Amino acid sequence: MTIRTVAREHLTEESLTSLESEFGERFVRIHRNALVARRAISGFQRVRGSIDEEGESSEGHWEVLLKDVPERLPISRRQWPTVKGGVEKS
């Protein structure tokens, strides 16, 4: 697994579930494959769904905005209530 910070990336053999158990008060799971430090979250943005050229529609979703990092990370529909509630409390 890769752990990313503003400064660099770190490789670890630790599982995401294990890290979540150990550091859950400092991190929030935003997706099945991602934890984010609560203090790194600057806000959230709703991304509207769209319709492609073939008429297929995609649902909108939420993304987490991070302090000092331009990349936005998608939040799964399943995790959105937990993320929103967990960050508001911290």
Side-chain angles (χ1 to χ4, degrees):
M1 177 180 54
T2 304
I3 299 172
R4 293 180 53 197
T5 68
V6 174
R8 59 184 281 212
E9 292 185 355
H10 308 271
L11 295 177
T12 182
E13 296 293 323
E14 200 80 32
S15 73
L16 201 60
T17 303
S18 173
L19 290 172
E20 186 178 26
S21 295
E22 188 172 347
F23 301 106
E25 70 283 348
R26 292 173 39 200
F27 292 85
V28 62
R29 185 182 286 264
I30 63 165
H31 204 277
R32 70 174 183 233
N33 62 359
L35 294 175
V36 173
R38 293 173 193 271
R39 68 180 185 175
I41 296 174
S42 64
F44 304 103
Q45 181 172 359
R46 177 82 173 144
V47 177
R48 292 185 176 261
S50 62
I51 299 176
D52 66 18
E53 295 173 2
E54 297 166 357
E56 296 292 321
S57 64
S58 66
E59 293 184 30
H61 64 275
W62 287 93
E63 293 179 334
V64 65
L65 308 175
L66 303 169
K67 298 174 187 168
D68 303 319
V69 178
E71 182 180 6
R72 296 175 178 169
L73 302 174
I75 303 169
S76 71
R77 288 188 314 247
R78 173 183 272 176
Q79 293 300 129
W80 171 240
T82 303
V83 172
K84 182 180 177 202
V87 172
E88 288 175 348
K89 294 176 185 173
S90 54

